[in-house]
Amino acid sequence: MQNVLISACLLGVDCKYNGSNNKLDDEIINSLKEKYNLIPVCPEIMGGMSTPRNPVEIKDGKVFDYDGIEYTEEFEKGSIEVLKLANVFNATIAILKENSPSCGSNYIYDGSFNHQKIQGMGITARKLAKENIKLVSEENVKILL
Ligand code: SF4
């Protein structure tokens, strides 16, 4: 079975910044599990962030919370750790949570903390895409079923 990375919060792991998750419908998770070996990853936790944590956004390629504290280093580290797992497991597909400053593959928030989305990629999504890993947003996950 093909190995596929997936944002851990999409499987129900409470690793989201506010201590909750973004769990997909059980039906979708079960269908994915029938076809793929799912490898859960949370780049923010893997980069050393705690849960819960302040929400962050990307501005000019750097990561800040609303107090202006920078976390770019942690987010970069998390992306490197996720890439390591992609290589170890020979995963060529990653199912990633849209809009996240780590996992967003099409849209992220604009850095103003005003709930404005823009086209863009999270730090880990960008890292994986550069290595030719196919990114699938949870909004389009049915294309894999
Ligand atoms: S970093 Fe990715 S996996 Fe972790 S909580 Fe955020 S969206 Fe989910």
Side-chain angles (χ1 to χ4, degrees), residues 6-11 13-18 20-22 40-46 51 53 75 82 95-104 124:
I6 183 167
S7 297
C9 60
L10 295 175
L11 296 179
V13 176
D14 289 338
C15 50
K16 192 175 167 181
Y17 73 91
N18 60 4
S20 69
N21 62 69
N22 301 300
V41 293
C42 177
E44 294 179 22
I45 300 302
M46 292 164 74
T51 304
R53 54 191 175 277
F75 276 59
V82 171
I95 302 166
L96 297 179
K97 175 72 184 74
E98 197 62 271
N99 308 317
S100 155
S102 288
C103 296
T124 292

Side-chain angles (χ1 to χ4, degrees), residues 120-138:
M121 302 177 96
I123 303 289
T124 292
R126 186 176 300 278
K127 174 83 74 189
L128 297 178
K130 272 189 190 158
E131 299 297 322
N132 294 320
I133 292 172
K134 177 182 169 70
L135 307 184
V136 179
S137 159
E138 87 285 5

